[in-house]
């Protein structure tokens, strides 16, 4: 008599290998996105007189190259046996109801910003956006928050309008700024 024990059969082959290396799907997605971004960036027609020291191709080429590098590094890690960690979950009590007041306030602030950016310009509507968001999220420093919001809005306006060359509507402050 033979003393053989039976073990449950496990599927083997390509399906098992793919199941154990499913993170390679993310690598393929990143690779495809990187190729698309690089292809679009490198085929972009740019007039030499339109670009400054850093042309419009610079950021897309950097992003596309970064996507390709991450895809390759992730693939190497997965093939060497690396596994992603399961998400531990958020520190959220799912038994509590949603804070509808905060969501409603933030929605109102964003809609007001979208409506007011045309007539008031970015500096004023941006300040209202930043202050309203801080208020909706619980800050009650009514003397300090509007000043910080105005400062953030002006810095954002100057960075985008003057340094990055992205024109934002100035509104009634256009002549002053």
């Amino acid at each position: 008599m033979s003393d053989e024990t039976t073990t449950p059969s496990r599927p083997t082959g390509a399906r098992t290998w793919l199941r154990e290396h499913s993170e390679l799907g993310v690598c393929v997605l990143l690779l495809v996105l990187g190729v698309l971004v690089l292809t679009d960036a490198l085929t972009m027609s740019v007039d030499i007189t339109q670009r400054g020291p850093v042309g419009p191709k610079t950021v897309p080429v950097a992003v596309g190259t970064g996507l390709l590098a991450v895809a390759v590094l992730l693939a190497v890690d997965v093939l060497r046996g690396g596994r992603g960690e399961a998400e531990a979950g958020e520190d959220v009590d799912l038994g509590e109801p949603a804070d509808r007041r905060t969501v409603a306030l933030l929605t109102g602030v964003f809609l007001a910003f979208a409506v007011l950016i045309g007539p008031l310009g970015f500096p004023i509507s941006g300040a209202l956006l930043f202050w309203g968001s801080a208020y909706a999220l619980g800050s009650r420093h009514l003397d300090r928050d509007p000043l910080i919001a105005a400062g953030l809005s002006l810095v954002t306006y100057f960075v985008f309008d003057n340094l990055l060359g992205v024109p934002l509507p100035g509104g009634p402050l256009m002549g002053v700024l």
Side-chain angles (χ1 to χ4, degrees), residues 62-131:
V63 168
T65 304
L67 284 168
L68 292 178
V70 169
V72 169
L73 292 172
L74 181 60
V76 168
D77 181 52
V78 169
L79 292 174
R80 287 184 176 173
R83 303 280 304 171
E85 293 182 22
E87 187 176 340
E90 296 182 22
D91 188 22
V92 175
D93 185 6
L94 297 176
E96 291 292 319
D99 186 4
R100 294 176 193 257
R101 179 181 182 271
T102 301
V103 172
L105 284 172
L106 283 173
T107 302
V109 166
F110 283 115
L111 289 175
F113 174 74
V115 169
L116 296 175
I117 192 168
L120 295 182
F122 184 84
I124 295 173
S125 61
L128 292 172
L129 170 73
F130 295 142
W131 176 74

Side-chain angles (χ1 to χ4, degrees), residues 2 5 29 44 63 67 125 150 160 173:
S2 124
T5 59
L29 177 67
M44 182 186 307
V63 168
L67 284 168
S125 61
F160 275 85
L173 297 178

Side-chain angles (χ1 to χ4, degrees), residues 122 130 152-168:
F122 184 84
F130 295 142
L152 275 173
S153 182
L154 288 173
V155 167
T156 303
Y157 178 78
F158 281 120
V159 166
F160 275 85
D161 200 56
N162 296 333
L163 298 179
L164 297 176
V166 177
L168 294 175

Side-chain angles (χ1 to χ4, degrees), residues 44-69:
M44 182 186 307
S45 62
V46 178
D47 186 16
I48 194 72
T49 60
Q50 290 179 337
R51 69 180 189 103
V54 176
K57 292 184 178 184
T58 305
V59 172
V61 167
V63 168
T65 304
L67 284 168
L68 292 178

